[in-house]
Amino acid sequence: MNRAGARAEDLCAQMLRRAGLRILARNWHCRHGEIDLVAEDEGTLVFAEVRLRRSDRYGGAAESVTHAKRQRLLAAARLYLAGRKEVNCRFDVLLLDGAQEPEIQWIRGAFEE
């Protein structure tokens, strides 16, 4: 991961903590890909995808959350949940657009399984 991506994830993790979420994992890897942030929000497991776009040359951060990306995240989440007791979960997306001090747009429950 490049420095800008790591900084974006740091900013998002800090924002989630300030909102009362507990970060359980960062950059959790499996054969399907990576989950940027796994957090707990009042008994709900949150799988968060962080998307940074420094320019809109190829579309903004929201456009980068493609169907294929959602499918990889869902598959990775299934593996993360394997062997655990049944829990409520949701998929959030944190979008950062712009090169200098981007504002974070947090979309809770951005998509469902």
Side-chain angles (χ1 to χ4, degrees), residues 10-21 104 106:
D10 288 342
L11 290 171
C12 291
Q14 289 171 12
M15 186 182 87
L16 293 177
R17 280 190 202 99
R18 282 193 306 272
L21 281 71
I104 301 170
W106 181 6

Side-chain angles (χ1 to χ4, degrees), residues 55-94:
S55 82
D56 60 359
R57 181 181 221 176
Y58 301 104
E63 289 83 13
S64 72
V65 184
T66 63
H67 176 75
K69 180 64 183 169
R70 289 191 304 271
Q71 293 306 309
R72 285 191 303 273
L73 183 57
L74 289 168
R78 282 188 206 103
L79 280 180
Y80 185 91
L81 293 169
R84 290 179 165 84
K85 64 179 184 168
E86 190 172 319
V87 297
N88 292 327
C89 64
R90 75 171 190 252
F91 296 88
D92 292 0
V93 176
L94 298 136

Side-chain angles (χ1 to χ4, degrees), residues 25-45:
R26 289 185 63 165
N27 306 114
W28 187 83
H29 291 272
C30 70
R31 69 177 182 257
H32 297 293
E34 174 185 278
I35 300 173
D36 294 329
L37 300 167
V38 180
E40 188 270 326
D41 183 14
E42 297 181 2
T44 298
L45 197 60

